[in-house]
Amino acid sequence: MKKILCLILCIIFASFMLVSCDEEDIGEVPEHYPNIDDTIPEVDLNMYIIVGEGTSSNAIDTVSRAISQYTLKTYHTSLNVKYVSADEYESTMLAAVGATDASAANIVLVNSIDTMNSLIATEKLVDLVPYLDTDDFGTLKVKIPTVLLDAAKTGESLYALPNNHIIGEYEYLVINEEVAKHVLKENPSKLASYNTYESTEELRAEMVQAGYDANQYVYIQNGPYSLKAELEAQGNVCNVVSLPESTAEEAFSSAFAIVNSTELANQRAMEIIYALSSDTELRNLLQYGVAGTNYTETHEDGVSEIFMVDSEKNSYRMNIEYTGNMFICSYCDELGWTLENAISGQKQNEQAILAN
């Protein structure tokens, strides 16, 4: 009987041990198992850009630190902005493109066709076409006018991405309506038919015969989309002679290029360029600096307005066309960037054509 009782107790004890072992296996990971690293790698990138006159060294330190912190938090990339004066930019930037140390450039501003040609000659630029063909960056083909992208191509390759800005200007034929109708008398509808200055030769001769200074009442004027309405409000007929043209010079007046490095660095550089076309917070940081330090902002009727600080310590000035997509940047009357100009600029870009 004692032997049977002992056997039963042993079986019960063994059962408890098995349950305890199972629970331990489920709840704990043995120390020799490897840890799973699901973190996203962080990358350091250098971006070279032209800084505006009047920017203080303190502002550069403040803004560059804020940008680096923002891009590290948002994109896992620490973007080190290298601010260079316009006079020293090309030589400094090209040296950084060829560098192999910590100063080596990853992203560079292109601000002229001559600068672009110098960069292409280094054979260090990344073709951006494969990036634009992906889901991650394909919307740039919508955010940036097609004529601007096409103008920036070298053959089938795209070595710099143009920043979306207002393209070119119109050429208008301006005719004083009152004077012209007085001269044309019974045929004022003819005013709409003039589409070149040369086509008005007979009209101008008739104005002179009638005692008018033809050069004062018939002339060519270049300007933006909004100029037409202004001229018409002043009593003129304003006929379009030519539409804004997208040229290589226009495309490379403001663009970003990527200097070939590792695959990861190139990918992150493309993410930053994409962000400067789509992320208003980063776009404003690069353009205006830190809120409350380098600028103040008001909000009225859903529209933000920037007022830049003018002080020896905190002045921060950048060319608005150099810092990304103009159309996502907050408005600043001091820079001539207003809601009205943005609306006019969008319409102008829709009518722009690719130069032959």
Side-chain angles (χ1 to χ4, degrees), residues 147 151 244-248 353-356:
V147 292
E245 290 189 339
S246 180
T247 62
I353 60 175
L354 183 65
N356 294 326

Side-chain angles (χ1 to χ4, degrees), residues 11-243:
I11 292 171
I12 294 172
F13 182 77
S15 298
F16 279 118
M17 289 295 292
L18 287 172
V19 170
S20 177
C21 289
D22 288 343
E23 290 174 351
E24 183 176 352
D25 288 342
I26 294 172
E28 297 180 9
V29 177
E31 291 183 1
H32 62 275
Y33 277 30
N35 291 323
I36 299 174
D37 185 7
D38 59 356
T39 60
I40 299 174
E42 295 179 352
V43 174
D44 288 332
L45 298 180
N46 292 329
M47 181 173 79
Y48 284 76
I49 196 168
I50 295 174
V51 66
E53 292 184 8
T55 300
S56 70
S57 58
N58 182 72
I60 287 175
D61 291 340
T62 300
V63 178
S64 59
R65 184 166 56 250
I67 288 174
S68 180
Q69 291 171 349
Y70 178 81
T71 57
L72 185 60
K73 176 183 177 182
T74 310
Y75 302 104
H76 303 281
T77 298
S78 179
L79 183 64
N80 306 308
V81 182
K82 307 292 187 180
Y83 295 92
V84 186
S85 67
D87 291 341
E88 299 177 350
Y89 178 71
E90 185 160 349
S91 59
T92 302
M93 178 270 295
L94 288 174
V97 168
T100 56
D101 58 12
S103 68
N106 299 101
I107 304 171
V108 295
L109 169 72
V110 178
N111 69 322
S112 72
I113 192 168
D114 290 338
T115 298
M116 189 64 206
N117 289 336
S118 297
L119 282 166
I120 289 176
T122 68
E123 298 184 348
K124 291 182 177 293
L125 298 187
V126 175
D127 184 3
L128 306 181
V129 169
Y131 288 111
L132 297 187
D133 289 338
T134 66
D135 291 339
D136 289 338
F137 307 111
T139 56
L140 285 171
K141 291 188 284 189
V142 178
K143 294 178 183 294
I144 301 171
T146 301
V147 292
L148 204 54
L149 288 172
D150 288 344
K153 285 187 176 178
T154 303
E156 297 299 317
S157 298
L158 183 70
Y159 293 113
L161 189 76
N163 289 317
N164 191 9
H165 62 277
I166 300 174
I167 300 170
E169 59 183 8
Y170 292 83
E171 184 179 9
Y172 295 115
L173 174 63
V174 186
I175 305 171
N176 183 279
E177 187 171 14
E178 182 180 351
V179 172
K181 284 184 175 181
H182 178 261
V183 170
L184 292 172
K185 293 184 171 58
E186 297 180 359
N187 192 18
S189 61
K190 190 176 180 182
L191 286 174
S193 68
Y194 299 116
N195 55 14
T196 66
Y197 183 75
E198 291 71 22
S199 67
T200 66
E201 182 177 1
E202 183 179 342
L203 172 64
R204 284 181 282 122
E206 291 177 355
M207 283 184 174
V208 171
Q209 188 175 357
Y212 294 102
D213 181 355
N215 293 327
Q216 182 178 350
Y217 297 111
V218 180
Y219 55 92
I220 293 291
Q221 185 165 344
N222 294 344
Y225 177 92
S226 58
L227 179 61
K228 188 175 188 295
E230 294 175 15
L231 291 168
E232 290 172 343
Q234 295 167 8
N236 299 297
V237 172
C238 189
N239 298 333
V240 175
V241 175
S242 63
L243 295 169

Side-chain angles (χ1 to χ4, degrees), residues 284-337:
N284 280 347
L285 257 178
L286 184 59
Q287 176 60 44
Y288 297 121
V290 177
T293 301
N294 307 112
Y295 71 90
T296 58
E297 186 173 9
T298 62
H299 303 272
E300 186 174 348
D301 298 328
V303 177
S304 298
E305 174 77 16
I306 296 291
F307 298 90
M308 296 185 291
V309 168
D310 186 13
S311 73
E312 184 176 347
K313 182 179 180 181
N314 294 317
S315 289
Y316 180 79
R317 299 291 185 272
M318 299 292 286
N319 185 325
I320 196 170
E321 291 193 6
Y322 289 171
T323 50
N325 180 357
M326 281 184 66
F327 293 95
I328 66 166
C329 195
S330 292
Y331 302 116
C332 177
D333 191 62
E334 183 178 340
L335 299 180
W337 184 237

